[in-house]
Amino acid sequence: MTPALEISGLTKRFGDNLAVDHIDLGVPQGSFFGLVGQNGAGKTTTLSMAVGLLRPDGGSARIFGTDVWSAPERAKAMVGVLPDGLAMPERLTGREVLTYLGLLRGLDKDVVRQRAEELLAVLELDGAEKTLVIEYSTGMRKKIGLATALLHAPRLLVLDEPFEAVDPVSAATIKTILRGFVAGGGSIVLSSHVMALVEQLCDHVAVIDKGRVAAAGTLDEVRGARSLEDTFVELVGDQDTGVKELSWLSH
Amino acid sequence: MAVALTMAQMKVAVLRHAFHGRRAQTAGTGAALGALFAAGTIYLAFVDPDLLAAGYAVWLLGWMLGPVFMGGGDETLRPEYFSLLGLPPRRLAAGLLVAAFVGVAPLVSLTALLGLLVVGVRLGVANAVVAVPAMALQLAVFVLLSKVSVAVIGLALRSRLGAIASGVLNGAILAALGQIWVFFVAFGQTGVPAAVWYLPSGWGLLAVQGDWWALAALAVLVVLLLGAWAALLGRRAGATRTSARGRRPMTAATVNGAIVAKELRTWSRDLVRNHQLTFALSYGVCFAASPLILGWDGMLPYAGPIFVVMAAAMASNVYGTDGTALWLTLMTPGVSDVRGRQLAWLSAQAPVAIVLTVVFTAITGGPWPLMLALLSALLGGAAGLVPLISVFALVPGTDPHRRAGNPLRTSEDDGGLTGLAYLMLVLVIVTGVPAAFVAVRYGWAGVAVGVLTGVLCYWGFGLLAERRLCSHGPELLDVMRTGRKPETTVKFRLDQLSKTQKSIVWWCFGFGAIPLVPQGIIATVFVANDMLRHSWFLATYMPPGLRYPVAAAFILLGLAMYGTGLWFVRPRPSGEGAAA
């Protein structure tokens, strides 16, 4: 079966820094794929290149077999993206953002209205009808971002740090939505540095370290008998195991 | 004082990091221009103190109004950085003031204030001694007035009424400055108005000339302004109110309709854009109406066209101000974002421009062909150039939700923003030239030309912008995300060359002009005009049959040198970038 997302040899260099170094990854259809790594490991850069937001120096990315860079129109219609920290049309309300994007995605006006209604209700954003996105809290921004990713019912979701700054109640809601999406045949790639979350949600996982894939496979293949956190620290942690303390902090 | 010194050191450190590459070039150009103005001001000190006082009045206005158009002035050290330190407002303001003296603009202004010293030295020892504190105090007044006016406008921009009021006021002031001759004529003034001596910008000069009280007045003004700024800094930290107004539902049903609806909502809800629009409107009306004071209405009909040009300049970075929201456009390829924005820009500005032009031309009774020709050419030209310029010369903006307390500050590169606005002014005016020319010569045919060039600009420039957005979208997004433009590729290629190749390239580019221009082209001109045995032009010393061939050979040599240089640095496909 064609992978939902196939990354081969993606490379990106910023000046002297090789941010992503020939990464190969395959996300099988129907899988919940976790991408873990330290800050600056290259997760966001990899995902940006995979969905066509950042031009790679080399390599390719295919969404359900369609190349993101040579056939962007077809590839991008099949994916919903939640980038980390990018702006939105800031002077619109949540409902207006969804209406605008839905029309941009070529959906019918009535379909857009109905889906926007449901998404705002499920994500509990319908209480902020008059609030512009620029006035949203960080957690609300994540939620409206997720709504825009889901709006056109894509078959693949690429989510960069979807749970950051989201309160526990909303997080539970989002988890339910995402699990339902996978159960319905959808595929998800999410990046995170919270190991417990990835362990709880994902069935596949890849560990990225210094722009390379340190380990990849099903969750059980990667972590073995240990917890994902222990495996992760062993894979990417410094060899120096002594925990550094701040002597001046203890009285 | 420790706080102030630390802040000054911080500013030096930030500036040292910031002034690299393109930013350094912008700063260098600015400094050179400023030095030129400063030298001109010092020259005035030798000519006439009246003119010097007028010169300093212009500097003062520059400090006060400049930041309004140049992205909120210098904010290298934002007050927000220090909000957790718990500094008393006055110490914070004093520290920021000291840091504000570090930089290119204060240095240039201080140079201009050397004029005070010149005047002082020419008058006597005591006057020269007074000039030194006068210079320092005068500079402090400039910097503080700038900070206070930015802070006041920043406060005003928190409400729609304030945004509109300050836009009207700023537009009127700038238009009055541009039409200053009208007031001179109206008041029968032939020299410099006496008022320039009593503006705070003239107090330093008064002090140097022997009115010692003026020095004390400057000191008092500095203390007062510092207090005012400290108070304003305290108000700035407060978050903007969340709006609770009812929203009109979005009724668009098509792709273009959605983009237009989004843009129009942004225009009406973003108070900075409200301010820019009213500024352009006020500028156009005041500029065109001011000769009415003299009883001459010939300029009145131009209010509409001037408004269009100014409004286009204000929108010159339309993609940059939206910041990284561009990712949504990248994720929906096949949708023409540029066309939607063009339509939105037109539907926001065109009605105003049309009403202005028609009403004012009706009042003056013409010239109808010229005004209608200009209006249609400029509207089309501006609607085409706005997306084109903002895509090709994008100045990375700060994302709207990450902007600090100064709403005018939409980008860290205020020099780039200013340059873009001026570029837009010039280019939009150029799009109106053919229609205006034909209208003046042949009357109504000009309107047809105006409509034609307008439509062509709208369609053609829009198409170019759309293509650029398609081909370079990810690069533009990257520029906005990192705030840095990529280094020029020529430099990159030069780096790849070997030492020998580099020196060949330098020789070719450095000296190719000598055979090409003087020994080739100019020598040919001399030979053609029978100006023989001319200084060092070799061809002019040749026997008759060889003169043209020698000059031609030099031209060929020059072209060959440039060609060789270009061949070494030509773009070549390398392993990297193959995916592009």
Side-chain angles (χ1 to χ4, degrees):
Chain A
M1 197 161 47
T2 339
L5 175 66
E6 188 182 14
I7 292 171
S8 43
L10 277 186
T11 304
K12 186 73 191 177
R13 179 184 286 280
F14 297 113
D16 294 332
N17 174 27
L18 192 57
V20 173
D21 185 7
H22 290 91
I23 281 193
D24 297 300
L25 279 179
V27 177
Q29 285 192 30
S31 68
F32 203 140
F33 198 102
L35 204 59
V36 298
Q38 287 177 293
N39 296 329
K43 304 187 295 284
T44 298
T45 309
T46 307
L47 292 183
S48 300
M49 289 192 287
V51 298
L53 289 177
L54 179 68
R55 203 185 300 279
D57 292 335
S60 67
R62 290 164 182 280
I63 293 173
F64 296 102
T66 307
D67 192 289
V68 172
W69 291 96
S70 61
E73 223 164 308
R74 215 148 53 86
K76 286 175 179 175
M78 291 185 285
V79 61
V81 179
L82 170 66
D84 189 25
L86 296 189
M88 300 284 281
E90 302 280 341
R91 310 276 168 184
L92 301 186
T93 64
R95 185 182 301 274
E96 287 169 343
V97 167
L98 295 179
T99 312
Y100 162 70
L101 267 176
L103 292 172
L104 231 59
R105 291 277 190 186
L107 299 180
D108 182 74
K109 191 182 159 193
D110 293 322
V111 175
V112 174
R113 190 174 54 226
Q114 191 197 335
R115 287 190 190 172
E117 189 72 52
E118 275 185 58
L119 280 168
L120 290 173
V122 170
L123 291 167
E124 290 160 334
L125 289 170
D126 50 353
E129 283 290 350
K130 292 170 182 173
T131 314
L132 303 183
V133 172
I134 196 170
E135 300 157 348
Y136 273 17
S137 67
T138 316
M140 287 166 85
R141 292 185 76 91
K142 282 281 177 203
K143 290 202 274 182
I144 192 68
L146 186 66
T148 61
L150 294 167
L151 182 64
H152 57 294
R155 292 165 62 205
L156 169 68
L157 282 179
V158 175
L159 314 172
D160 198 356
E161 303 281 1
F163 293 97
E164 214 172 52
V166 175
D167 67 83
V169 179
S170 304
T173 315
I174 294 177
K175 283 177 199 168
T176 313
I177 296 174
L178 296 184
R179 284 201 182 105
F181 180 79
V182 174
S187 321
I188 297 180
V189 184
L190 71 77
S191 79
S192 178
H193 40 233
V194 183
M195 298 303 141
L197 187 101
V198 172
E199 244 174 337
Q200 189 189 2
L201 284 176
C202 300
D203 45 46
H204 285 67
V205 67
V207 180
I208 308 277
D209 184 37
K210 300 187 184 84
R212 290 162 177 271
V213 179
T218 64
L219 183 62
D220 291 328
E221 282 168 10
V222 171
R223 70 176 167 185
R226 293 171 301 176
S227 74
L228 185 59
E229 182 152 346
D230 288 342
T231 316
F232 179 77
V233 171
E234 192 190 297
L235 279 169
V236 310
D238 290 331
Q239 297 310 309
D240 175 21
T241 47
V243 178
K244 298 147 196 140
E245 281 185 34
L246 301 173
S247 59
W248 45 270
L249 261 184
S250 43
H251 291 283
Chain B
M1 208 55 209
V3 172
L5 282 181
T6 314
M7 285 190 187
Q9 282 170 352
M10 250 176 102
K11 173 114 178 232
V12 171
V14 176
L15 287 184
R16 272 176 42 199
H17 287 299
F19 284 169
H20 280 299
R22 224 177 52 92
R23 290 275 310 268
Q25 282 171 21
T26 320
T29 316
L33 273 177
L36 213 63
F37 282 121
T41 314
I42 297 174
Y43 173 71
L44 292 180
F46 289 102
V47 181
D48 182 3
D50 266 341
L51 286 178
L52 186 62
Y56 287 145
V58 172
W59 281 91
L60 178 76
L61 280 170
W63 273 97
M64 286 179 68
L65 287 178
V68 178
F69 314 108
M70 300 183 187
D74 171 49
E75 289 245 318
T76 317
L77 295 193
R78 291 181 184 168
E80 286 83 4
Y81 295 166
F82 309 99
S83 53
L84 287 179
L85 293 181
L87 289 172
R90 266 173 170 274
R91 272 184 74 194
L92 174 64
L96 287 172
L97 177 65
V98 171
F101 284 124
V102 178
V104 177
L107 196 68
V108 166
S109 300
L110 195 63
T111 315
L113 286 170
L114 279 175
L116 291 180
L117 197 60
V118 171
V119 173
V121 168
R122 295 178 77 189
L123 287 174
V125 178
N127 304 69
V129 170
V130 169
V132 176
M135 279 170 65
L137 286 173
Q138 193 73 70
L139 183 64
V141 166
F142 283 170
V143 173
L144 275 169
L145 269 176
S146 173
K147 295 286 180 191
V148 168
S149 61
V150 167
V152 167
I153 291 174
L155 274 187
L157 286 186
R158 290 201 194 160
S159 74
R160 187 174 308 273
L161 193 68
I164 290 172
S166 64
V168 169
L169 194 67
N170 289 331
I173 293 175
L174 208 72
L177 278 180
Q179 296 282 58
I180 195 94
W181 63 273
V182 169
F183 299 94
F184 280 14
V185 173
F187 298 126
Q189 190 94 44
T190 42
V192 176
V196 295
W197 286 94
Y198 297 100
L199 291 175
S201 54
W203 295 359
L205 197 53
L206 280 179
V208 172
Q209 291 201 332
D211 291 319
W212 311 123
W213 60 267
L215 199 63
L218 270 181
V220 171
L221 185 62
V222 167
V223 173
L224 286 179
L225 285 173
L226 194 63
W229 190 31
L232 287 165
L233 280 179
R235 312 245 350 225
R236 161 174 160 139
T240 43
R241 288 170 294 134
T242 49
S243 35
R245 299 188 322 121
R247 305 288 180 197
R248 55 188 187 281
M250 210 185 240
T251 53
T254 61
V255 174
N256 260 341
I259 300 173
V260 172
K262 187 259 293 178
E263 280 291 295
L264 286 182
R265 279 168 174 71
T266 308
W267 279 101
S268 69
R269 289 172 188 173
D270 184 352
L271 295 183
V272 176
R273 293 203 201 196
N274 283 189
H275 172 259
Q276 291 176 338
L277 260 189
T278 41
F279 165 79
L281 182 61
S282 163
Y283 183 86
V285 171
C286 292
F287 193 95
S290 52
L292 288 178
I293 298 173
L294 305 178
W296 182 56
D297 64 4
M299 201 176 267
L300 195 58
Y302 292 89
I306 295 172
F307 161 73
V308 173
V309 173
M310 216 24 139
M314 292 289 138
S316 54
N317 198 28
V318 68
Y319 277 98
T321 37
D322 280 356
T324 51
L326 183 68
W327 77 274
L328 288 168
T329 309
L330 295 191
M331 287 313 290
T332 47
V335 169
S336 177
D337 190 60
V338 169
R339 292 292 182 219
R341 282 178 189 257
Q342 283 184 301
L343 268 180
W345 191 86
L346 267 189
S347 46
Q349 332 280 336
V352 183
I354 292 170
V355 168
L356 275 186
T357 309
V358 169
V359 169
F360 285 169
T361 313
I363 290 175
T364 61
W368 284 106
L370 177 60
M371 296 329 299
L372 294 181
L374 263 182
L375 183 67
S376 40
L378 290 177
L379 275 177
L385 283 168
V386 162
L388 185 75
I389 297 294
S390 74
V391 168
F392 272 89
L394 182 91
V395 175
T398 312
D399 272 357
H401 65 289
R402 295 186 199 280
R403 283 178 203 157
N406 181 350
L408 291 171
R409 188 105 188 137
T410 58
S411 162
E412 288 305 303
D413 185 5
D414 42 354
L417 280 185
T418 316
L420 210 60
Y422 280 110
L423 178 70
M424 185 64 94
L425 283 179
V426 174
L427 290 179
V428 173
I429 290 171
V430 168
T431 62
V433 169
F437 180 75
V438 175
V440 169
R441 291 290 297 267
Y442 306 105
W444 285 102
V447 182
V449 174
V451 170
L452 184 72
T453 61
V455 170
L456 276 180
C457 287
Y458 180 92
W459 173 78
F461 291 156
L463 190 70
L464 285 178
E466 188 70 55
R467 288 214 179 132
R468 177 79 176 182
L469 203 55
C470 274
S471 63
H472 284 69
E475 282 73 18
L476 292 174
L477 180 63
D478 202 41
V479 166
M480 289 213 260
R481 188 148 48 175
T482 59
R484 273 192 301 272
K485 292 217 167 188
E487 293 282 316
T488 48
T489 40
V490 172
K491 182 175 173 289
F492 177 58
R493 275 174 212 124
L494 267 183
D495 287 344
Q496 284 183 330
L497 299 179
S498 74
K499 235 179 172 167
T500 334
Q501 286 172 320
K502 261 187 212 168
S503 52
I504 295 174
V505 168
W506 285 125
W507 273 92
C508 287
F509 281 133
F511 297 100
I514 294 177
L516 180 65
V517 183
Q519 295 295 354
I521 297 171
I522 296 180
T524 312
V525 175
F526 284 153
V527 169
N529 290 319
D530 277 334
M531 295 161 72
L532 298 179
R533 312 192 74 75
H534 211 292
S535 60
W536 69 302
F537 299 95
L538 194 61
T540 60
Y541 291 90
M542 289 288 134
L546 279 177
R547 284 174 196 156
Y548 282 112
V550 167
F554 270 121
I555 292 179
L556 278 181
L557 176 65
L559 289 179
M561 283 171 81
Y562 279 118
T564 314
L566 283 176
W567 185 79
F568 273 113
V569 297
R570 77 194 186 282
R572 58 194 103 190
S574 58
E576 288 180 337

